[in-house]
């Protein structure tokens, strides 16, 4: 019947989104619309995550709006973070009025989540529990009234807190919070960016954060991405505060840069130094910025020297070229079988 078809199609949508096939999942949703079936909120969340991770920002936003209108869904932390991260990165990548539009949309998603709360992972807003394949509809209500309520359906999990109790780290991942701070500052909403920066969730997001389950190579890549995101957020805050002559806000961000040892751009520090010299701040503040600039320059030279020393080839005046390559020649230390492999 209709319920079985809807549940089957929703299962296909969830499976395709889980494997990263957002375009095919959208095609299935189109079939559901033709048949008069509205996807459950869980399917909308999966679609938003899949489209955002693919970089289809416009499609992810359209799915988000359709989900609010048709299913009354609320994003969970993963869906809200993926959508905000995609919107903010797209806003930082362009230099036009579109950037402000995308940033306003990201702020709107965040503020709605603060006001209404985020769904828990696996929660279904229309009455279905994570264990149920069938959304609670009119037929289920009639069955429940007749005493034939399905025993498979379990009670709903409680909603995540809303309002003032819903802090930014409950709504956003650290990467999404950093991107939202940077995009809001760059696109003119400095008041919102500073408010998020001063919140406890914003401060924790600006600390180096790598997931505990990340393997070695993935963990290194995540750490590099986190450092780049933090640098972009701090540079945006300092530069935009300087543009607005808010030297106190710029120095507040600068103090956290020093305490967290985040290397920011030389241009950013030079801009801050210039603003401090023109403003009525203590002279030691100017010297502090200059000292940070000198410290970063020295650390950069040390890292470059260490990197060049680590990658230097082992050479000898007895051989031509690299010792390692000479040792692989037949009869000069190559293991048995190496000659045959190199010959093939």
């Amino acid at each position: 019947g209709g319920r079985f078809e809807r549940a089957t199609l929703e299962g296909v949508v969830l499976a395709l989104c889980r494997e990263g096939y957002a375009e095919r999942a959208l095609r299935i949703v189109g079939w559901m619309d033709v048949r008069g079936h509205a996807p459950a909120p869980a399917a909308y969340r999966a679609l938003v995550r899949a489209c955002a991770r693919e970089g289809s920002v416009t499609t992810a936003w359209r799915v988000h709006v359709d989900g609010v209108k048709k299913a009354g869904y609320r994003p969970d932390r993963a869906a809200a973070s993926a959508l905000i991260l995609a919107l903010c990165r797209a806003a930082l990548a362009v230099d036009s009025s579109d950037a402000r539009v995308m940033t306003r949309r990201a702020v709107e998603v965040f503020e709605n989540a603060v006001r209404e709360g985020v769904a828990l992972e696996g929660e279904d807003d229309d009455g279905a529990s994570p264990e149920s394949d069938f959304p609670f509809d009119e037929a289920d209500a009639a069955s429940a009234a007749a005493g034939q309520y399905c025993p498979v359906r379990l009670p709903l999990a409680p909603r995540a807190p809303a309002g003032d109790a819903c802090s930014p780290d409950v709504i956003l991942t650290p990467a999404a919070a950093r991107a939202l701070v940077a995009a809001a500052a760059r696109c003119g909403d400095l008041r919102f960016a500073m408010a998020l920066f001063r919140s406890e969730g914003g401060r924790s997001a600006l600390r180096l954060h790598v997931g505990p389950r990340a393997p070695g190579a993935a963990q290194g890549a995540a750490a590099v991405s986190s450092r780049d995101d933090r640098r972009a957020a701090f540079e945006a805050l300092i530069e935009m505060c300087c543009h607005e002559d808010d030297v106190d806000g710029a120095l507040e961000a600068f103090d956290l840069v020093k305490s967290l040892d985040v290397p920011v751009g030389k241009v950013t520090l030079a801009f801050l130094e210039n603003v401090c010299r023109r403003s009525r701040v203590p002279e030691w503040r100017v010297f502090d910025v200059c000292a940070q600039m000198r410290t970063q320059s020295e650390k950069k030279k040390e890292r470059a020297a260490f990197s060049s020393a680590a990658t230097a080839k082992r050479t000898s005046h007895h051989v031509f070229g690299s010792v390692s390559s000479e040792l692989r020649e037949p009869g000069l230390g190559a293991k048995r079988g190496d000659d045959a492999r190199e010959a093939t």
Side-chain angles (χ1 to χ4, degrees):
R3 291 178 58 219
F4 176 77
E5 184 181 12
R6 174 183 171 182
T8 303
L9 293 175
E10 281 182 356
V12 175
V13 170
L14 293 173
L16 289 171
C17 291
R18 190 163 49 245
E19 296 299 323
Y21 297 109
E23 186 177 352
R24 297 181 183 180
L26 288 169
R27 201 175 303 160
I28 300 297
V29 172
W31 294 348
M32 295 180 69
D33 289 338
V34 171
R35 289 163 175 77
H37 302 310
Y44 278 109
R45 296 186 193 107
L47 275 170
V48 169
R49 290 195 299 268
C51 293
R53 288 169 183 166
E54 274 191 357
S56 303
V57 184
T58 304
T59 305
W61 175 254
R62 179 171 54 80
V63 171
H64 170 77
V65 173
D66 289 346
V68 172
K69 290 181 179 178
K70 295 180 180 179
Y73 102 114
R74 295 174 303 124
D76 56 6
R77 185 173 185 258
S81 298
L83 180 57
I84 289 175
L85 188 61
L87 287 168
C88 292
R89 286 181 173 172
L92 292 171
V94 297
D95 187 16
S96 65
S97 59
D98 294 339
R100 292 184 175 86
V101 173
M102 287 183 280
T103 303
R104 283 199 299 269
R105 289 175 176 176
V107 173
E108 178 185 339
V109 173
F110 174 77
E111 290 179 342
N112 287 340
V114 171
R115 183 170 55 253
E116 301 173 5
V118 291
L120 297 180
E121 200 171 321
E123 177 185 341
D124 228 349
D125 291 341
D126 62 355
S129 68
E131 290 79 7
S132 174
D133 290 332
F134 300 102
F136 193 84
D137 53 18
E138 292 81 1
D140 290 329
S143 299
Q148 302 173 353
Y149 187 67
C150 178
V152 175
R153 193 182 309 281
L154 299 178
L156 282 176
R159 290 190 172 196
D164 296 336
C166 198
S167 61
D169 54 345
V170 174
I171 300 170
L172 300 177
T173 60
R178 291 190 291 265
L180 186 56
V181 168
R186 290 291 185 194
C187 295
D189 199 348
L190 184 59
R191 180 178 298 179
F192 172 83
M194 291 301 293
L196 183 56
F197 163 72
R198 287 167 176 153
S199 66
E200 183 59 32
R203 291 295 178 98
S204 64
L206 288 169
R207 300 185 182 97
L208 186 61
H209 179 86
V210 180
R213 297 183 182 178
Q219 187 172 3
V224 171
S225 175
S226 176
R227 284 194 293 269
D228 293 342
D229 290 346
R230 292 195 307 165
R231 173 173 178 164
F234 280 121
E235 288 179 350
L237 286 173
I238 293 173
E239 291 176 13
M240 298 313 296
C241 283
C242 290
H243 277 295
E244 298 295 328
D245 291 329
D246 183 9
V247 67
D248 293 332
L251 289 173
E252 181 182 354
F254 170 75
D255 289 337
L256 192 57
V257 164
K258 282 203 317 176
S259 64
L260 296 178
D261 193 21
V262 179
V264 295
K266 188 183 296 184
V267 175
T268 302
L269 294 177
F271 191 12
L272 178 59
E273 177 195 354
N274 187 24
V275 172
C276 289
R277 289 186 186 277
R278 290 188 286 106
S279 304
R280 295 180 178 179
V281 298
E283 193 175 9
W284 66 268
R285 275 303 204 175
V286 179
F287 297 152
D288 199 16
V289 176
C290 294
Q292 179 68 14
M293 196 183 311
R294 184 169 55 253
T295 300
Q296 287 189 181
S297 179
E298 292 173 353
K299 287 184 177 180
K300 184 177 180 180
K301 290 179 181 178
E302 290 176 1
R303 287 194 298 268
F306 178 78
S307 177
S308 61
T311 57
K313 293 183 178 180
R314 294 177 295 170
T315 58
S316 170
H317 64 280
H318 295 290
V319 296
F320 179 77
S322 173
V323 175
S324 301
S325 61
E326 292 290 338
L327 288 176
R328 287 197 296 269
E329 293 295 325
L332 293 178
K335 295 180 181 180
R336 181 175 297 177
D338 287 354
D339 301 353
R341 283 196 296 272
E342 290 185 2
T344 58

